[in-house]
Amino acid sequence: PACALGGKVYAFEPDPYSYTILESNLTLNGYDAQCVVIPKALWSKGGLMSIAEMPLSLALPTGHPLHKATIPATTIDDYVQANGISRLDWLKMDIEGGELEVLKGGVRVISQFKPSILVERHDMHPHLQEWIKPRRVYEHILGRLIGGGYTVQDISFKNRSYLIALRPSEAR
């Protein structure tokens, strides 16, 4: 929707297969000019990181037994600064449990722009708890955002659980 409304979207997709599908879909739907797809992961620090192949892709430490590939990563703060981005209204994350790590890498930008944030809550998915230790992502994210004047709500849609944090100017 942001592309259709004249917005600019920056999508980070480190998986080569998913990256190709995303690029093709954007082109087929005429949104390739408004959407920039970056073949990197967002994380708490730049460099290289590992992902695993499972029913979903999880971010894992290098050397983990489920390690699939080493991929390049950047932070929200580094990407925004390096690319001269002067506005950030929304931040949507579905990172299979890595949301807190991404937020750690975006503290400066989030503090500056106060974007509204939509996060899929992976701590609620039982299948993830078989593979990684539950990390209480939801509580950590709440703690980071409430101090910024955000209105935070827990919502469900199509059997998924989300955290939505509206920035102060959009809260009602």
Side-chain angles (χ1 to χ4, degrees):
C3 289
L5 298 173
K8 185 83 169 185
V9 173
Y10 298 90
F12 292 81
E13 181 50 69
D15 180 72
Y17 178 74
S18 297
Y19 175 89
T20 302
I21 290 173
L22 179 56
E23 286 264 294
S24 296
N25 283 335
L26 291 170
T27 300
L28 285 171
N29 289 292
Y31 294 130
D32 51 325
Q34 298 97 332
C35 298
V36 177
V37 184
I38 300 97
K40 292 184 177 184
L42 282 176
W43 205 243
S44 56
K45 60 185 176 183
L48 297 175
M49 62 180 293
S50 296
I51 58 172
E53 184 171 44
M54 299 175 5
L56 6 129
S57 295
L58 294 174
L60 298 169
T62 302
H64 190 282
L66 296 174
H67 174 261
K68 171 188 171 187
T70 301
I71 57 170
T74 189
T75 68
I76 294 171
D77 287 344
D78 290 347
Y79 188 83
V80 166
Q81 181 177 356
N83 291 279
I85 297 170
S86 60
R87 180 176 173 182
L88 180 64
D89 296 322
W90 273 93
L91 181 60
K92 180 206 173 268
M93 293 186 282
D94 181 1
I95 310 169
E96 312 306 333
E99 291 81 3
L100 179 60
E101 291 300 315
V102 172
L103 288 175
K104 287 178 185 177
V107 171
R108 186 178 67 241
V109 165
I110 292 168
S111 296
Q112 177 184 352
F113 295 117
K114 298 231 184 271
S116 292
I117 301 171
L118 180 68
V119 177
E120 184 168 0
R121 285 183 51 183
H122 289 283
D123 62 325
M124 300 299 291
H125 293 281
H127 61 273
L128 278 179
Q129 293 180 10
E130 295 173 14
W131 297 97
I132 61 173
K133 295 179 184 176
R135 293 189 280 161
R136 295 284 162 231
V137 172
Y138 179 66
E139 288 82 4
H140 288 289
I141 292 171
L142 274 176
R144 282 188 173 273
L145 299 179
I146 287 177
Y150 282 86
T151 300
V152 180
Q153 298 174 0
D154 187 26
I155 59 173
S156 293
F157 179 71
K158 293 188 178 182
N159 295 324
R160 297 206 180 217
S161 184
Y162 297 90
L163 166 72
I164 187 166
L166 296 175
R167 62 177 162 188
S169 64
E170 293 180 359
R172 295 174 192 190

